[in-house]
């Protein structure tokens, strides 16, 4: 993730510094897995420092964290006894959490005085994990620095922005762990979401 920050700084240096206009975009979002409507909801919080390069294009970094919309949803989808001496548990893959960092570019169009539309694209890395799952004292499983992309389409009125975003965080690999008399399984699945996001835009230019 640190390499993305270095790349972002390098790109800014290559641009005309006098034309840059700094601002901060921050806000929450709600959504669900794109592949199934039966999965539990997700909530995200994004923090995006950006530079407006000209009237149509901005470049920024997008920091994002996502968790269950309802934090008390079950971590295990199935928990049943196979027989008296063996237990099988299936991890609820829709309870996965993530943190991502991406280079973010936006293009603005149909601008009016106080209203405009925009299209954006994030390219970066994401970490997937189940932080409340511990097996033999160690958190299991997790995936770090996986490729992540997210196209976005939105509109804004003054400082308030509303958008729809498709986010692809890669794939969770199938996972089996036998610990004593217990078998814990995570089924392989694509981790992709559809989000409705709302944010506020702070302008820091003088």
């Amino acid at each position: 993730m640190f390499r993305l920050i270095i790349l972002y700084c390098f790109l800014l240096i290559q641009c005309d510094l006098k034309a840059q206009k700094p601002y901060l975009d921050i806000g929450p979002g709600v959504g669900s897995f794109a592949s199934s409507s039966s999965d539990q909801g997700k909530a995200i919080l994004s923090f995006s420092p950006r530079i407006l390069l000209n009237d149509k294009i901005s470049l920024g970094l997008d920091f994002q964290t996502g968790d269950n919309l309802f934090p008390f949803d079950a971590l295990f989808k199935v928990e049943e006894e196979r027989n008296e001496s063996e237990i099988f548990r299936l991890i609820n893959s829709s309870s996965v959490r993530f943190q991502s960092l991406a280079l973010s570019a936006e293009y603005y169009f149909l601008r009016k005085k106080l209203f405009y539309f925009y299209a954006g694209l994030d390219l970066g890395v994401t970490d997937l994990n189940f932080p409340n799952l511990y097996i033999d004292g160690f958190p299991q499983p997790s995936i770090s620095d996986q490729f992540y992309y997210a196209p976005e389409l939105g509109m804004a009125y003054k400082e308030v922005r509303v958008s729809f975003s498709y986010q692809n965080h890669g794939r969770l690999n199938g996972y089996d762990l036998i610990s004593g008399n217990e078998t814990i399984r995570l089924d392989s699945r694509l981790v992709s979401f559809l989000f409705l996001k709302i944010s506020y835009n702070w302008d820091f230019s003088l």
Side-chain angles (χ1 to χ4, degrees):
M1 289 189 177
F2 181 72
R3 295 176 182 176
L4 283 177
I5 299 176
I6 298 298
L7 177 58
Y8 174 64
C9 294
F10 173 78
L11 291 175
L12 291 185
I13 292 173
Q14 304 307 309
C15 300
D16 182 3
L17 295 178
K18 294 181 180 180
Q20 295 178 7
K21 180 181 178 181
Y23 65 93
L24 175 65
D25 194 60
I26 184 170
V30 294
S32 64
F33 274 84
S35 57
S36 173
S37 60
S38 63
D39 286 311
Q40 61 194 36
K42 287 293 178 182
I44 57 170
L45 179 64
S46 60
F47 177 88
S48 183
R50 311 186 69 85
I51 295 292
L52 187 64
L53 302 179
N54 54 50
D55 289 339
K56 291 186 176 295
I57 298 174
S58 72
L59 184 65
L61 286 175
D62 187 40
F63 302 87
Q64 188 171 256
T65 181
D67 202 347
N68 297 334
L69 182 60
F70 304 104
F72 300 108
D73 284 337
L75 178 60
F76 293 99
K77 183 179 295 185
V78 176
E79 184 170 355
E80 60 184 12
E81 291 188 4
R82 288 180 176 171
N83 52 54
E84 294 182 356
S85 61
E86 187 175 327
I87 298 174
F88 169 78
R89 293 197 288 175
L90 177 64
I91 298 173
N92 185 2
S93 59
S94 64
S95 66
V96 66
R97 300 179 183 180
F98 62 87
Q99 296 80 39
S100 64
L101 172 63
L103 284 174
S104 177
E106 289 182 348
Y107 176 77
Y108 308 103
F109 57 98
L110 298 180
R111 272 188 176 273
K112 304 297 182 181
K113 288 185 178 180
L114 301 175
F115 183 84
Y116 61 89
F117 289 89
Y118 64 94
L121 179 64
D122 288 1
L123 297 173
V125 292
T126 185
D127 293 343
L128 305 173
N129 56 77
F130 296 85
N132 293 328
L133 175 61
Y134 287 85
I135 302 170
D136 294 335
F138 298 96
Q140 304 276 345
S142 64
I143 301 175
S144 299
D145 291 340
Q146 188 162 243
F147 176 69
Y148 152 79
Y149 68 91
E152 184 173 352
L153 183 64
M155 59 183 180
Y157 178 73
K158 294 185 178 180
E159 291 83 14
V160 178
R161 295 158 40 112
V162 178
S163 65
F164 289 96
S165 173
Y166 169 80
Q167 300 186 3
N168 189 309
H169 293 260
R171 177 170 291 277
L172 280 172
N173 297 321
Y175 179 92
D176 269 356
L177 178 71
I178 299 176
S179 177
N181 67 335
E182 187 176 59
T183 299
I184 296 176
R185 174 173 297 166
L186 173 65
D187 288 339
S188 175
R189 76 169 300 169
L190 179 66
V191 182
S192 61
F193 306 101
L194 291 174
F195 282 110
L196 171 64
K197 300 168 64 177
I198 184 169
S199 61
Y200 188 86
N201 189 301
W202 277 277
D203 185 349
F204 292 118
S205 59
L206 298 177

